Amino acid sequence: MTLLTMIKLMGEGFGKTCAIFFLTLLFSLPLGMIVALLRMSKNKIISNVTRFIISILRGTPLMLQLLAVTYGPYYLFGISVFKEKLIPVVIAFAINYAAYFAEIYRGGIESMPVGQYEAAEVLGYTKFQTFIHIILPQVIKRIMPSITNEVVTLVKDTSLAFTVSYAEMFTIGKQIANSQTSFTPFLVAGVFYFVFNAIVDFAMGKVEKSMDYYK
C-alpha cells in the first residue's frame, strides 16, 4: 500500500474523529455547567450524589466507560440499543468530559469574590441575572486556560474509540498497520493528531486572547 493511499484511507477516518471531537464539546460543555450547579447545590443529597458520580467518572478509565456504554445494555439486558456506534461513543465521551468541565466550572464560580454578588443584589439584580450577566462572563474568562487544556486532551482521547471498533482515524490506521505489518500508519496518525492539535490550540489561543479585556 502506497503512502498516499494510506493517507487517503486515514483521512476518511479523520472525518469521524472530528465528529467525535465536536459532538463531545457540543454536549459536554453545557452538561458540565449543569453538573457543576448540582454539585454546588445547597441540598446535601443532590450535592453528595453528584460528587459521587463525578468521582466515578474521573476515577475510572474513559476506555472502560466506552465499553460500558457501548456493550453494557447487551451484556446486562440482552438488547442492542445503539445501531450506530457513534452514538454510544459520543455519550461516553460527553459524560466523561462533562465531569471534568464541571469541576473546572465549579472552581471558577467559587473563586469569585462574595462582593460581586452583594453588589449585584444592591443594584437590584436577581440571582439568575447576577449569574448570567456578571458572574458567568468572568468565570469563563478565568477558566479558559483549563478548558483549553481539556480540549487539547480531547483531540488525543478520540483515538480511544478504537476500543469499540469505531472506524475513526486511529482505528483505520491500526487496521492498516496490522495488515501491512508496518509502523508507518501510526506515524501518519501522529502527524494528523499533531496538526489537528496545533489548529485547536491556535483557535483556543485566539479565544483566550479575545478575553484579555484589559490588554
Side-chain angles (χ1 to χ4, degrees), residues 22 27 37 67 87-88 101 109 112 120 156 178-179 192 212:
F22 289 111
F27 294 112
L37 295 175
L67 292 170
I87 297 175
F101 287 139
I109 293 171
M112 298 302 297
K156 296 173 287 185
N178 290 337
S179 64
F192 268 108
D212 290 337

Side-chain angles (χ1 to χ4, degrees), residues 20-197:
I20 297 173
F21 175 79
F22 289 111
L23 288 174
T24 297
L25 289 182
L26 178 65
F27 294 112
S28 64
L29 285 170
L31 179 59
M33 178 58 72
I34 294 173
V35 174
L37 295 175
L38 291 174
R39 171 72 176 81
M40 297 170 64
S41 172
K42 293 181 179 180
N43 185 307
K44 292 297 182 181
I45 296 177
I46 295 176
S47 177
N48 289 332
V49 169
T50 305
R51 181 179 181 180
F52 178 68
I53 293 173
I54 290 175
S55 68
I56 292 177
L57 292 172
R58 297 176 69 194
T60 57
L62 174 55
M63 185 183 298
L64 177 60
Q65 294 168 30
L66 276 166
L67 292 170
V69 174
T70 304
Y71 302 118
Y74 180 77
Y75 290 148
L76 293 173
F77 309 109
I79 57 174
S80 297
V81 178
F82 308 108
K83 294 183 179 180
E84 170 57 53
K85 279 190 176 180
L86 176 61
I87 297 175
V89 168
V90 171
I91 289 175
F93 269 89
I95 293 175
N96 179 271
Y97 269 81
Y100 287 93
F101 287 139
E103 288 300 280
I104 293 174
Y105 288 140
R106 184 175 68 85
I109 293 171
E110 292 184 345
S111 71
M112 298 302 297
V114 178
Q116 297 272 353
Y117 296 92
E118 294 173 345
E121 186 177 357
V122 170
L123 293 172
Y125 282 81
T126 64
K127 290 184 178 180
F128 180 77
Q129 290 173 328
T130 299
F131 182 75
I132 295 297
H133 299 294
I134 298 176
I135 303 301
L136 188 58
Q138 296 181 75
V139 167
I140 292 175
K141 182 177 183 295
R142 290 190 178 195
I143 66 175
M144 274 308 297
S146 298
I147 293 293
T148 297
N149 184 58
E150 289 299 322
V151 172
V152 168
T153 300
L154 174 59
V155 173
K156 296 173 287 185
D157 278 354
T158 55
S159 62
L160 291 175
F162 88 91
T163 58
V164 294
S165 302
Y166 181 65
E168 45 75 57
M169 182 185 62
F170 186 78
T171 304
I172 294 175
K174 188 171 181 292
Q175 292 171 348
I176 296 174
N178 290 337
S179 64
Q180 300 293 312
T181 318
S182 171
F183 192 75
T184 303
F186 294 122
L187 296 177
V188 174
V191 172
F192 268 108
Y193 285 118
F194 178 78
V195 173
F196 190 16
N197 242 329

